Amino acid sequence: MKKLSLLFIIFVSFLHAQTLELVGGDYTYTKIINTGKQKKNLYLVLKKWLTNNSSQYTLNKDDQRSGILSFEERLPLVHYNESQSTIPSYTNAIEITNRQVIYRVDRIVFQDIFGGMTNTRNDYQSLLKRIAFSVSTINELKEQLNKERNIKNRFNLRKEISAENEKLSKLNNINTLLTEHFDSNAKAIAEQIEGTYQE
């Protein structure tokens, strides 16, 4: 049973990470955007876009010669449950060449807050593990419910399943929020440079 649960956790982690690729131990989101513009023009357009949105982004690398713009982004506080919340942040990098821009997200970090007091930093894999563990817990509770004949115990198990489903929903919402932000940035970059990319 434990082997099956472990395989299930790995499978769920894979499903939730499919928009991100594991590169050197770090989950990374990448979009290659093709355009007809030259490197110098691309750089100027994207630098202006970032400057105009300076309240949203914190620029940390600006190298016109190598064609790299890198910036930090921090999302608002989101909740795992009533007593646990987190502030997601990540690094965006734009690599500019002639007629092509590579948009990459990595170093996804969660500043976790427990009971409003303790702060710990976790990576994207920690979110995947939480999701997988929650799915596994729900399945185990459902198995117990199927075998249970006592009415009071069945009622308590249904309450536990409902609470765990709510927790899973919040975890999935955090994951969706992240990927939607990555997709939104890729779309905004493509619009700025009149480029196209594969969805």
Side-chain angles (χ1 to χ4, degrees):
M1 183 67 188
K2 281 188 178 177
K3 270 187 183 177
L4 190 63
S5 293
L6 182 62
L7 284 171
F8 185 74
I9 287 169
I10 292 166
F11 176 68
V12 171
S13 295
F14 169 76
L15 284 179
H16 284 276
Q18 60 188 343
T19 55
L20 296 155
E21 186 182 2
L22 192 58
V23 179
D26 190 15
Y27 278 96
T28 304
Y29 171 99
T30 305
K31 284 285 183 211
I32 298 171
I33 304 165
N34 296 303
T35 179
K37 298 180 186 292
Q38 295 296 313
K39 180 178 176 179
K40 184 181 176 183
N41 292 336
L42 291 170
Y43 175 85
L44 294 172
V45 167
L46 292 172
K47 174 72 185 295
K48 185 180 178 185
W49 170 67
L50 285 172
T51 304
N52 290 344
N53 291 283
S54 59
S55 61
Q56 190 178 346
Y57 308 120
T58 306
L59 193 64
N60 58 18
K61 187 167 184 182
D62 175 6
D63 187 343
Q64 185 170 2
R65 201 165 132 228
S66 64
I68 293 175
L69 289 164
S70 175
F71 55 101
E72 300 295 321
E73 194 168 358
R74 187 175 167 147
L75 301 183
L77 181 82
V78 287
H79 299 280
Y80 292 128
N81 54 47
E82 287 178 10
S83 62
Q84 299 178 352
S85 53
T86 190
I87 300 168
S89 64
Y90 47 88
T91 301
N92 301 273
I94 300 172
E95 298 171 29
I96 304 162
T97 60
N98 283 331
R99 300 185 178 85
Q100 192 177 80
V101 167
I102 299 170
Y103 168 63
R104 185 172 287 117
V105 177
D106 59 11
R107 298 189 194 113
I108 303 164
V109 173
F110 297 93
Q111 185 74 37
D112 290 344
I113 303 155
F114 301 110
M117 295 176 71
T118 310
N119 287 338
T120 56
R121 288 169 66 86
N122 285 304
D123 61 10
Y124 183 73
Q125 194 156 358
S126 72
L127 177 65
L128 297 182
K129 283 178 182 174
R130 278 174 176 263
I131 290 169
F133 181 75
S134 188
V135 170
S136 178
T137 301
I138 290 166
N139 286 337
E140 285 174 19
L141 288 168
K142 283 180 178 176
E143 276 184 36
Q144 288 176 41
L145 180 63
N146 289 336
K147 292 173 186 174
E148 185 59 63
R149 295 292 163 247
N150 182 289
I151 293 170
K152 187 179 178 185
N153 290 346
R154 284 178 67 82
F155 175 77
N156 289 335
L157 282 166
R158 282 195 185 98
K159 273 179 73 176
E160 282 186 65
I161 291 167
S162 178
E164 199 62 45
N165 272 321
E166 192 176 332
K167 190 191 293 183
L168 177 61
S169 176
K170 287 181 177 176
L171 291 169
N172 281 327
N173 287 343
I174 293 169
N175 195 38
T176 302
L177 175 73
L178 277 171
T179 53
E180 281 177 352
H181 269 267
F182 304 159
D183 288 339
S184 174
N185 281 346
K187 187 179 178 185
I189 291 165
E191 285 173 356
Q192 291 298 316
I193 63 173
E194 297 170 5
T196 57
Y197 61 90
Q198 192 171 349
E199 301 259 353

